[in-house]
Amino acid sequence: MKTYTKEEFRELLEKKVRDKRTKTLEETTDKDLFYAITSILKDSINEANIETEQRYINEQNRQVSYLSMEFLIGRLIESNLINTGFKQVCDEVLEDLGRSPRDVYGEEHDAGLGNGGLGRLAACFLDSIASLGYAGNGFGIRYRYGLFEQRIVSGSQIELPDNWLREVYPWETRKIDEAIQVRFGGEVDFVIDNDQYQFSYKDQEVVLAVPYDIGIVGYENDVVNTLRLWSAEVPDDAVSPEPYMNQLEYKQSVEKISGFLYPDDSKEEGRFLRLKQQYFLVSSTIQTLIHRFKANDDLPIEAFHKKNVIQINDTHPTFGIPELMRILMDEEGLSWDQAWEITSHTFAYTNHTIMQEALEKWPVELVKRVNPRILMIIDEINERFCKSIFDNHESLRDRISEMAVISDGVVHMSKLAIVGSYSVNGVAALHSDIIKNYTFNDFYRLTPEKFNNKTNGITHRRWLLGANPRLAELISDSIGDHWVKSPVEMTQLLRYQNDESFLSNLAEVKLHNKKVLQEVIYKKTGIEVNEHSIFDVQVKRLHEYKRQLLNIFHVIHLYNEIKRNPKLKMVPQTFIFGAKAAPSYHLAKEIIRLIHVVGEMVNNDRDVAGRIKVVFLENYNVTLAEYIMPAAEISEQISTASMEASGTGNMKMMMNGAVTLGTMDGANVEIAERVGQDNILIFGLSSEQVINYQNKGGYQAKDIYQTDDRLKTILNGLKDGSYAKGETFSDIYYRILTNNDPYFILKDFTSYLETHIKAVTLYEEQKQWNKMSLVNIAQSGKFSSDRTINEYATDIWKLI
Ligand SMILES: *Cc1c(COP(=O)(O)O)cnc(C)c1O
């Protein structure tokens, strides 16, 4: 990629400002500068994107297509500046102009096309695929409205539409000439011709999938891959299939397909539209891949899987399996067996959850309405699958009804995904073991070779270089900058464990980042926090299994202690929360309200005298995370063991020097393995204990309530309005006592408290704490998504 001197960049900027914004440099607003910079970048990115695509075609590379209903990419400006190598020059030019780079880059609206971890993972993966130079592109949906914007009004969550496309989105390119027709509904007919079934469809709804491409820039390697997001439009010549609908209503009904992101990443969304979105993504994408294969590869269609692998991010794109079958049979004229050979060697499935209520199950009737041919094919896959078990696997015969892809009138998407894929992976070692031994044990016995683990990762370019430049500089000053290309080399930092000057520099960086967050907190909430207090952070989606409730119970307990003994000595602590709740998830919203009520009580009580503070930052998103991660000191990763598949927030905080306080769950297990027991704070039930209680019973929350006065006080306070006059939380109270505390909050409470006491004690030994922080940073290289992607590329995708 081209490089620019300061003078050249300034000149270019001046020209862009003139051309695009009709202003002189002196007259520009931050927004003008933002658009001028993105325009400079985009010129370079587009050029490299064309070259990259051409090179993949020339080299006839095997390619991966990463299909995901979510891409939580956040802002791209800084990441693109870093990866193109323009960051420093751009910063300097802006500073010379007397402008703040942070304010200019702050003009970009987050692309929030995802709910949380799953969508953010997809974004980190694209960054790593490009940075490692792999031929791989992302495919998703260009939702008109992304994840809702969260506002807190009187302590309660309000959802506002995320109108991220209000202004021009500078990174995308609309490619109408590559639009694809996607067909929904209608009826299927067939004739038998020469012993071959010929399928035809009638009365289908035709929707145009229009691609918007975003360049994905590799780190200083001239590679620019593509994220293609599909937008639903009415084809030019289409008339409404419903006679009562006028053209405008018709247009609106079609555009709804890419209208908004469903704001729930953990429960199936029982909506026809959601299912249409899924089919819209896979049909447009797979048609494109077939088209490209026929245009660019000199191979017969039977070799499709030799050049293509499709990784599906959770089960949402599973209809890609019957869709590829449909195209190969109905359009390319292959037989079932030929089509199955190709399809079952094309797809690889990543599982993200083992929680039963979160596994997608769709009523057969609904699938039929989306596309009846797709249901026919799923039916046939199921028939053949069940028959093959019966014929070939006697030991699994009595399990057939459990394993069937369709049963009780619903399609089990995870089973379809497993049957139709050649690889099934979990996202952390523990999670992959649970999949094999419990969740999908039958399938594991049937085809053990399919199952594997790929522990998640995060891109250290965004989460360390971008978000925490001071730490990145400190690391490079100490061990050189080779770690940037090879993050595992951060282990060289271990040499500085007892180096007082390094440790004090590290503490200085942390303090600086805490002051930055302190200002953000003050601006957003008006709350003044002590920069010398412990920044104890839990930021993630609000879900009962993530146990924000356990965290706030701890805070209430500390408050109760202070009230009982106002002279109690206590290291000052700031409890920072950020979390969106799915709009329909009542209990999650109640927990948000509780955090606010407790915050009001604690923050305004004179007796507390600043010893503890509670901060809830509204609208947690990628950009906010980029301020929070570098300032975190305690990383709360306290899910009920076995329930958090991996977590990636845990990795972001570790990489920024926070110490994990968590359960042996998800990737926490591997973090513990890396840093050793002395550098992590583990508490609570093990996953095995949790699974045992779930399967065999034996846990009685009421018994703990009866015998533990601390918990009795906390829980009674929920009902009697102790935390704020007139505000009660009886639904939370009953959830725990009547529903027997399904997430084991009471069970883990004591050990959680003790672990916090240990944390505070360690924190008081500043040198000891800084050393722990250093070990966490040094060992975080494993959790770079570069390592994850190299594993996918080698083991699953066979790109090398
Ligand atoms: C990393 C990230 C997540 C995932 O956090 P977990 O703690 O792993 O659940 C969710 N949302 C945003 C904005 C993130 O950056």
Side-chain angles (χ1 to χ4, degrees):
M1 214 163 287
K2 228 180 280 172
T3 54
Y4 295 105
T5 63
K6 241 165 81 173
E7 290 65 37
E8 289 167 339
F9 197 85
R10 188 193 155 108
E11 230 167 80
L12 207 53
L13 195 63
E14 191 152 18
K15 183 171 156 22
K16 285 286 186 191
V17 165
R18 235 174 246 288
D19 290 356
K20 304 270 173 189
R21 311 297 287 185
T22 55
K23 287 189 185 169
T24 64
L25 265 184
E26 288 69 31
E27 295 170 314
T28 53
T29 61
D30 286 344
K31 186 155 282 152
D32 295 323
L33 287 169
F34 167 72
Y35 279 108
I37 293 166
T38 58
S39 176
I40 295 173
L41 279 170
K42 204 168 167 215
D43 290 345
S44 293
I45 292 171
N46 284 352
E47 211 176 295
N49 184 230
I50 293 168
E51 281 168 19
T52 302
E53 283 185 1
Q54 205 49 56
R55 187 161 55 76
Y56 292 155
I57 292 172
N58 293 341
E59 294 173 2
Q60 297 267 301
N61 276 322
R62 181 171 158 84
Q63 305 200 10
V64 59
S65 299
Y66 196 84
L67 268 60
S68 178
M69 287 289 279
E70 304 187 11
F71 286 92
L72 190 52
I73 54 184
R75 287 180 186 153
L76 288 184
I77 179 115
E78 284 198 78
S79 155
N80 282 346
L81 283 168
I82 290 172
N83 288 6
T84 50
F86 295 175
K87 177 79 166 40
Q88 199 181 345
V89 173
C90 187
D91 281 359
E92 284 171 9
V93 168
L94 288 174
E95 274 156 12
D96 288 354
L97 289 168
R99 309 299 283 265
S100 146
R102 196 175 123 182
D103 291 349
V104 172
Y105 307 152
E107 288 293 331
E108 181 166 354
H109 195 295
D110 268 46
L113 308 183
N115 272 292
L118 173 147
R120 183 55 232 171
L121 183 76
C124 283
F125 278 7
L126 293 185
D127 182 83
S128 284
I129 292 170
S131 294
L132 296 167
Y134 292 122
N137 300 305
F139 293 88
I141 292 178
R142 181 181 179 269
Y143 302 104
R144 177 62 188 79
Y145 296 94
L147 182 59
F148 67 86
E149 213 177 284
Q150 180 192 53
R151 289 280 168 77
I152 303 294
V153 178
S154 322
S156 293
Q157 170 176 298
I158 301 290
E159 302 93 25
L160 301 178
D162 167 45
N163 194 3
W164 70 294
L165 292 171
R166 192 173 2 227
E167 291 169 35
V168 174
Y169 185 63
W171 306 112
E172 67 182 5
T173 307
R174 177 181 164 92
K175 295 193 179 156
I176 187 72
D177 53 319
E178 294 180 38
I180 298 278
Q181 293 194 345
V182 176
R183 290 157 193 276
F184 294 97
E187 278 171 43
V188 188
D189 226 340
F190 63 88
V191 292
I192 300 174
D193 181 19
N194 262 342
D195 258 8
Q196 284 268 33
Y197 284 88
Q198 297 283 348
F199 288 91
S200 61
Y201 319 112
K202 62 172 192 212
D203 298 335
Q204 291 194 301
E205 179 192 9
V206 180
V207 172
L208 198 65
V210 179
Y212 285 75
D213 285 357
I214 299 171
I216 301 295
V217 184
Y219 180 70
E220 294 183 349
N221 66 354
D222 288 343
V223 170
V224 176
N225 291 335
T226 306
L227 169 58
R228 170 160 287 195
L229 300 178
W230 299 102
S231 179
E233 294 184 16
V234 173
D236 276 344
D237 51 353
V239 284
S240 167
E242 311 275 359
Y244 58 84
M245 249 191 214
N246 67 36
Q247 204 60 17
L248 182 66
E249 287 169 328
Y250 174 45
K251 183 171 183 288
Q252 287 171 344
S253 86
V254 166
E255 288 173 1
K256 257 197 217 156
I257 294 171
S258 53
F260 67 98
L261 167 76
Y262 277 92
D264 194 332
D265 58 352
S266 61
K267 280 205 311 261
E268 64 164 301
E269 184 58 61
R271 298 279 293 277
F272 183 50
L273 199 55
R274 166 77 182 181
L275 210 56
K276 273 182 111 169
Q277 290 184 331
Q278 295 186 355
Y279 185 65
F280 178 70
L281 166 64
V282 299
S283 182
S284 53
T285 302
I286 292 170
Q287 289 186 62
T288 300
L289 296 179
I290 294 274
H291 176 80
R292 285 184 186 167
F293 177 79
K294 296 206 312 194
N296 302 332
D297 292 74
D298 297 326
L299 292 168
I301 195 72
E302 285 84 350
F304 179 78
H305 59 292
K306 304 260 192 260
K307 294 289 176 184
N308 284 280
V309 45
I310 297 174
Q311 186 74 44
I312 56 175
N313 194 24
D314 212 330
T315 53
H316 319 135
T318 301
F319 288 154
I321 291 165
E323 175 67 2
L324 180 56
M325 289 294 287
R326 183 191 68 79
I327 295 171
L328 292 174
M329 293 188 298
D330 299 1
E331 290 174 14
E332 300 299 325
L334 300 189
S335 69
W336 179 279
D337 289 337
Q338 287 172 312
W340 185 250
E341 172 70 16
I342 296 164
T343 302
S344 60
H345 287 92
T346 297
F347 282 88
Y349 155 53
T350 303
N351 173 279
H352 282 268
T353 182
I354 57 153
M355 290 170 68
Q356 282 305 318
E357 64 273 28
L359 291 172
E360 281 194 294
K361 297 172 196 83
W362 291 103
V364 164
E365 279 313 306
L366 219 54
V367 178
K368 191 172 178 183
R369 267 174 68 199
V370 168
N371 187 315
R373 180 69 179 126
I374 290 301
L375 180 65
M376 285 175 77
I377 294 170
I378 297 171
D379 233 331
E380 184 74 22
I381 291 173
N382 184 41
E383 291 289 321
R384 289 174 184 244
F385 173 65
C386 293
K387 185 171 185 314
S388 85
I389 300 174
F390 190 87
D391 292 347
N392 308 323
H393 302 276
E394 210 170 320
S395 65
L396 286 168
R397 268 189 197 172
D398 62 334
R399 304 295 302 160
I400 290 179
S401 66
E402 308 289 322
M403 297 174 78
V405 171
I406 300 177
S407 63
D408 299 326
V410 297
V411 176
H412 297 259
M413 300 287 271
S414 54
K415 296 172 189 171
L416 178 58
I418 295 171
V419 173
S421 299
Y422 70 89
S423 164
V424 178
N425 74 281
V427 289
L430 174 69
H431 170 234
S432 296
D433 284 342
I434 292 174
I435 285 177
K436 289 196 274 193
N437 299 331
Y438 298 94
T439 321
F440 298 120
N441 179 254
D442 294 330
F443 292 90
Y444 176 61
R445 284 165 58 201
L446 182 68
T447 47
E449 68 283 357
K450 281 189 188 180
F451 289 78
N452 64 92
N453 174 57
K454 296 288 168 282
T455 300
N456 281 169
I458 55 168
T459 168
H460 60 287
R461 288 167 288 275
R462 177 179 292 262
W463 295 108
L464 180 44
L465 281 180
N468 199 344
R470 280 181 165 77
L471 178 58
E473 198 181 310
L474 176 61
I475 297 172
S476 292
D477 285 349
S478 316
I479 62 170
D481 60 8
H482 206 227
W483 66 274
V484 175
K485 288 254 172 179
S486 174
V488 282
E489 291 185 31
M490 280 196 283
T491 50
Q492 287 176 36
L493 288 170
L494 293 172
R495 280 193 262 133
Y496 297 89
Q497 275 185 77
N498 298 308
D499 183 321
E500 300 222 358
S501 108
F502 184 94
L503 292 179
S504 86
N505 287 337
L506 184 61
E508 218 168 276
V509 169
K510 183 61 80 180
L511 184 63
H512 170 87
N513 295 332
K514 286 169 76 179
K515 286 178 181 166
V516 173
L517 184 61
Q518 177 187 45
E519 201 176 303
V520 171
I521 291 171
Y522 183 69
K523 275 205 189 122
K524 287 185 185 278
T525 67
I527 299 170
E528 293 180 39
V529 303
N530 172 359
E531 73 272 26
H532 297 292
S533 64
I534 304 178
F535 278 23
D536 180 309
V537 178
Q538 187 175 21
V539 286
K540 49 183 74 247
R541 281 300 287 266
L542 202 310
H543 207 290
E544 286 167 277
Y545 84 82
K546 291 176 183 280
R547 299 201 294 190
Q548 281 92 352
L549 201 49
L550 177 59
N551 188 341
I552 201 69
F553 279 6
H554 170 234
V555 176
I556 297 171
H557 169 73
L558 291 179
Y559 175 78
N560 290 343
E561 295 268 277
I562 289 171
K563 292 306 277 186
R564 196 171 321 137
N565 174 12
K567 296 216 176 76
L568 190 69
K569 273 190 77 162
M570 203 181 263
V571 179
Q573 300 174 72
T574 302
F575 296 94
I576 298 167
F577 293 86
K580 290 180 184 176
S584 62
Y585 193 169
H586 169 70
L587 213 75
K589 290 177 135 180
E590 284 289 279
I591 295 169
I592 289 180
R593 193 168 65 86
L594 176 62
I595 294 170
H596 279 89
V597 164
V598 171
E600 280 288 311
M601 172 178 78
V602 167
N603 298 347
N604 299 311
D605 189 321
R606 280 164 180 274
D607 286 351
V608 172
R611 274 170 288 189
I612 53 176
K613 283 235 162 109
V614 178
V615 174
F616 187 100
L617 287 168
E618 70 182 1
N619 203 40
Y620 179 55
N621 62 11
V622 172
T623 294
L624 192 52
E626 287 167 13
Y627 286 105
I628 296 172
M629 300 303 167
E633 295 183 300
I634 291 182
S635 165
E636 297 270 356
Q637 307 299 337
I638 59 179
S639 54
T640 311
S642 80
M643 295 189 187
E644 186 75 88
S646 164
T648 48
N650 46 3
M651 301 168 184
K652 294 169 200 163
M653 281 192 246
M654 173 199 196
M655 196 174 273
N656 283 282
V659 175
T660 303
L661 192 160
T663 49
M664 275 302 221
D665 199 18
N668 296 354
V669 176
E670 287 155 87
I671 292 176
E673 194 178 288
R674 283 272 123 203
V675 301
Q677 291 306 313
D678 291 346
N679 298 294
I680 191 165
L681 298 153
I682 296 293
F683 76 98
L685 292 174
S686 69
S687 56
E688 236 163 80
Q689 289 171 314
V690 169
I691 291 170
N692 268 332
Y693 277 128
Q694 286 173 331
N695 293 341
K696 298 176 189 154
Y699 172 51
Q700 288 298 340
K702 275 214 176 79
D703 294 348
I704 298 182
Y705 168 82
Q706 291 299 350
T707 52
D708 189 327
D709 286 340
R710 302 164 306 182
L711 281 166
K712 202 179 243 177
T713 311
I714 293 167
L715 283 159
N716 289 348
L718 294 172
K719 265 188 72 178
D720 63 21
S722 309
Y723 307 134
K725 268 203 193 65
E727 296 235 31
T728 56
F729 300 88
S730 41
D731 290 336
I732 299 177
Y733 177 90
Y734 288 118
R735 180 71 166 158
I736 290 188
L737 291 176
T738 312
N739 281 3
N740 196 29
D741 185 18
Y743 300 94
F744 302 89
I745 289 169
L746 305 196
K747 185 80 185 162
D748 279 348
F749 183 71
T750 299
S751 114
Y752 185 57
L753 248 56
E754 286 167 356
T755 308
H756 266 283
I757 291 167
K758 190 174 158 195
V760 170
T761 312
L762 285 164
Y763 192 85
E764 280 186 299
E765 293 294 321
Q766 274 191 34
K767 224 180 92 186
Q768 189 56 33
W769 186 267
N770 293 335
K771 185 172 157 183
M772 288 171 73
S773 174
L774 168 65
V775 174
N776 273 273
I777 297 164
Q779 295 290 1
S780 69
K782 158 164 182 178
F783 301 102
S784 164
S785 45
D786 287 5
R787 186 268 313 149
T788 316
I789 288 303
N790 275 324
E791 289 177 7
Y792 274 94
T794 315
D795 303 343
I796 303 179
W797 302 339
K798 309 285 182 204
L799 299 184
I800 39 178

